[in-house]
Every structure is written in structure tokens, then in C-alpha cells.
Amino acid sequence: MTDFKSEKTLIQEYYNALDTAPLDQIAGVEQTYAADTYVWRGFHPFGELTNPAEVANMFWVPLRTSLTRIQRRLDIFFAGTNELDGHASTWVVSMGHLMGLFDQPWLGVKPTCKMAMLRYCAFHRVEGGKIAEQMMYFDLPHLMAQAGQSPFPVQTAAHMVQPGPMTHTGLLFEAQDPAEGQATRDAINRMVADLGQWNLGLPLEEELALSWHDDMLWWGPEGIGASYTIERYAKQHSGPFRAAFSDRSKTNHIARVAEGEFGGFAGWPNFTATLSGRFMGHEPTGKRGEFRVIDLYRREGDKLAENWIFIDLLHFWKTQGVDYLAEAAT
């Protein structure tokens, strides 16, 4: 039984140092934990960075300056080997909220001087006792909505501060049965094979029922929102999304890992598609756009029960000629 103890401990120590260090010491924390070949990927407007000091000074210091008295509220924490490289690399995954007092502007978003919660999910590739690669995805539009600056004109599903797993079993600090992780991996792979290219030929709800429980929970990003049950997910997101896009590329992930009943994947981008129909209140542009996505899943039995999704919608819309973040800053 692989417990991934050293990798999990490293990330827990990194989080503690990162969240408690004085602002002028955050760069030192990043440099201490980062490998020489460090790559950090973050949602718009950050992109890909390779210098740990830049990650600290461009992302963490401004965020910690704005969101004071920060707390990391974990809902999911697990580790696993990456099946996409033949299980050669080990990744630690966490998801939850960074909560604090929104006391100073951040990226043009106006402070509220009230509690605010930044949804995030991070994938960390651990190698030789260091973090070699990190994907830090966060729902900036969700924070904007909490500040009364929701950037998007319409949303088909529900906005809310999203909870963790219904079972409250998402923090896998201890070793898990490898058979459970394999079952989760199998369920995710079946779903990707069935749904990933939109070409199975079944009615949408029947197609979804192959991989999902009928009372599925889909915790989508701000701008789309959360849906409950297959029927409502089909109506509130999957159906409208498929109707809006064409020429979808093949799915492309950097990492796909699972442990226990939890698993997920991340890409940069996961896929591209052409906006050929109406989406999120916009008319079709005919342009291809990138979808940078993290998906996390909870499996129950042989099907998926919950899904937490992080999509860089600010980046996508910028590829379509709309800069929502710049508009919010004016």
C-alpha cells in the first residue's frame, strides 16, 4: 500500500509556511520548496511562471496583502501517481477555499472589508523532496461576485460558496486501499471515453447516466454555476455548452491521478473549441478558444457522484476579444 506520506507532508509544510510567512518572507518560502526546474501555472492574468520569486511577488504577496488574516480551508487532499506518464510522477492535489478579510484591492477587484473566499484547486508534482511543477487554479470571478462585481452577464446554474464532499471524507492524509483508487481511476476514464468527445450518439441524459449517479452534484465555476441531478445538469450546463461549441479538440491532460474515492485531472489547456453558438450571454464569435480546466471527482460505487470544476473563463473570453478583468478594473 503506497501512502505518499513524504509527498503529502511536504505539501502540508509548504502550505503552512506559505500561509503564515510575513509578506517579505514569502519569496523565500517559494524558493525553499521549489525545484530548479520549477513551473507554476495560474489562471488569468498570471499564466506560466518559472521563477519562484516571481510567483511570490506577482501572486502570493498581492493576494495576502488584499485577503488579510488568510485561512486555508481544505475540503479535498489526496495524492497519486500520474497514469499519463506511466505512473512515473507523483502528484499531490488539494482543493478548498482561501478565506480572509478582503481589505485591499486585488487585480482591480474592489475590497469589501468583509469575509471573502477564493475557491482554488492545486496540483503539485513532487520530485526529490521539492515541488517541480504546480498548477494553481482559482475562481477569480467567484471572488468578484462576492464583491458585487460579477463580471458575467448571465449564469445558467446556481452561484454559491461551494461545499466539499457530501461524505466529508475528502482529506486523505493517511494511506488508502490501492484498489479503491484504481476503481476511481476506472470510473473517471470511462467518463472521459464516453463523454469527452461528444460523439457517443445517445441522448444527452442517457449518455450522462452511463458515468454518473442520477443525483450527481456538479460544482461549476462562477459564470456557469452549480447543478444538481443529471436532468438539471444537462439543462443548465452540458446541453447549452455543447450547443454553443463545435470542432472540439481531443482531451489533453498534464496529470490524471486518483486515491481512494477521489481523483481528477488538469490540463493546460484541456481542449480547444470554436464558439459557434450563443454562450454566457454572448453571440457566437467563430473563434477558437482554450479551456484551462481542473476537474475533481468523488466516486460512489462504480459511478461518479460529485464533480468540482475550475475553468479559466477570464482567459477563454479574452481569446474571444472580451477582457472582463480589465473592464472590472476601470
Side-chain angles (χ1 to χ4, degrees), residues 52-315:
E54 284 187 338
V55 174
N57 294 325
M58 293 176 64
F59 180 76
W60 285 112
V61 172
L63 176 61
R64 287 269 314 275
T65 300
S66 300
L67 207 60
T68 63
R69 301 289 297 270
I70 200 165
Q71 288 186 3
R72 187 181 298 265
R73 304 182 66 85
L74 285 175
D75 291 312
I76 294 176
F77 187 88
F78 67 93
T81 55
N82 182 10
E83 67 175 87
L84 301 180
D85 62 10
H87 300 281
S89 60
T90 297
W91 295 73
V92 179
V93 179
S94 80
M95 187 206 80
H97 294 83
L98 297 172
M99 186 198 78
L101 299 172
F102 195 6
D103 286 343
Q104 298 292 332
W106 187 50
L107 301 173
V109 184
K110 298 177 179 65
T112 64
C113 297
K114 300 177 182 179
M115 287 175 57
M117 304 184 81
L118 180 66
R119 294 181 64 226
Y120 87 93
C121 186
F123 274 55
H124 309 271
R125 178 166 63 85
V126 177
E127 187 176 282
K130 298 282 188 176
I131 302 170
E133 189 172 355
Q134 182 177 171
M135 287 177 277
M136 174 62 184
Y137 291 6
F138 48 91
D139 196 341
L140 177 55
H142 186 254
L143 181 69
M144 296 168 73
Q146 293 171 65
Q149 294 178 255
S150 182
F152 304 128
V154 296
Q155 180 161 298
T156 52
H159 162 85
M160 60 186 65
V161 173
Q162 296 183 2
M166 184 179 71
T167 54
H168 300 280
T169 55
L171 301 179
L172 307 187
F173 297 126
E174 305 302 326
Q176 304 294 309
D177 182 353
E180 292 296 309
Q182 185 60 52
T184 300
R185 187 176 293 112
D186 291 344
I188 292 172
N189 287 339
R190 283 195 301 271
M191 182 274 300
V192 171
D194 289 345
L195 306 180
Q197 306 307 322
W198 306 347
N199 59 6
L200 204 58
L202 294 173
L204 178 56
E205 291 185 30
E206 291 182 26
E207 185 178 316
L208 290 165
L210 295 175
S211 304
W212 295 91
H213 288 284
D214 183 62
D215 60 351
M216 66 175 287
L217 288 156
W218 193 84
W219 303 107
E222 181 68 24
I224 298 172
S227 293
Y228 171 47
T229 74
I230 283 178
E231 182 254 339
R232 296 301 168 86
Y233 169 64
K235 286 182 171 62
Q236 294 172 353
H237 173 61
S238 188
F241 191 81
R242 293 191 187 194
F245 290 94
S246 59
D247 304 318
R248 174 178 169 147
S249 70
K250 291 184 178 180
T251 300
N252 180 40
H253 297 148
I254 292 174
R256 192 182 299 173
V257 298
E259 186 183 27
E261 61 186 1
F262 294 91
F265 50 70
W268 187 266
N270 293 49
F271 66 93
T272 62
T274 299
L275 182 56
S276 53
R278 188 172 175 80
F279 181 57
M280 292 177 62
H282 287 269
E283 297 301 321
T285 64
K287 298 179 180 179
R288 291 193 72 77
E290 291 186 340
F291 287 89
R292 298 169 174 174
V293 182
I294 279 178
D295 275 78
L296 293 191
Y297 301 90
R298 179 177 67 85
R299 174 188 55 83
E300 189 173 292
D302 62 353
K303 291 187 177 183
L304 301 173
E306 292 189 82
N307 184 195
W308 296 263
I309 306 89
F310 296 76
I311 306 174
D312 194 349
L313 289 172
L314 294 177
H315 170 71

